[in-house]
Amino acid sequence: QVQLVESGGGLAQPGGSLRLSCVASGFRFDAHVTGWFRQAPGKEREGIACISTDDTTYYVDSVKGRFTISRDNAKSTVYLQMDNLNPEDTGVYYCMTDLAGWSPYAPPGVARTVCSTTKGAYSWGQGTQVTISS
């Protein structure tokens, strides 16, 4: 049974930092593209950062240069380091994994493709709230 458990959300001030973690279980983590989606109040869920099986990354323009996604396959964990936060970063952050497995590596461009839609065969975490406010 695929399970994703996020942690690390909370309240931060503008300009501050937060680090999200997501521990995966129930599948071979290193063979799957994984990432973070965000749902801001009143908006649709969108992919903000995804990482492929060879550590290739994709970021949506609004977080480039401020957020860093990384993975530790030995710990079956994906991280999202968020720096220079602003109020527009407020929302519920969801960890996800594409259920399609790749061996040895996913082809180029898959991280961007995964982050570009919510309609794929994905498994989702429960979400963690991030609020940026002074």
Side-chain angles (χ1 to χ4, degrees):
Q1 178 182 356
V2 176
Q3 189 171 15
L4 301 169
V5 179
E6 301 109 332
S7 62
L11 175 66
Q13 292 188 339
S17 298
L18 285 172
R19 189 193 196 204
L20 305 183
S21 299
C22 173
V23 179
S25 61
F27 64 104
R28 186 185 157 187
F29 180 75
D30 64 347
H32 293 260
V33 178
T34 186
W36 293 91
F37 280 58
R38 174 174 70 194
Q39 188 159 17
K43 296 187 177 181
E44 294 186 352
R45 192 177 301 188
E46 67 166 345
I48 59 170
C50 289
I51 185 166
S52 189
T53 55
D54 62 353
D55 290 344
T56 301
T57 56
Y58 166 82
Y59 299 94
V60 73
D61 285 347
S62 61
V63 308
K64 279 182 183 176
R66 302 187 299 120
F67 291 11
T68 303
I69 188 171
S70 61
R71 64 192 299 163
D72 184 337
N73 291 332
K75 296 181 178 179
S76 296
T77 301
V78 59
Y79 304 97
L80 186 67
Q81 176 67 40
M82 305 186 293
D83 298 317
N84 194 19
L85 288 159
N86 59 61
E88 289 69 39
D89 295 316
T90 294
V92 179
Y93 284 66
Y94 296 90
C95 172
M96 56 73 64
T97 189
D98 182 5
L99 295 176
W102 301 96
S103 180
Y105 297 117
V110 172
R112 180 189 183 102
T113 300
V114 168
C115 253
S116 299
T117 179
T118 61
K119 305 299 184 184
Y122 301 164
S123 183
W124 300 91
Q126 79 282 2
T128 186
Q129 177 69 44
V130 170
T131 302
I132 310 304
S133 175
S134 55

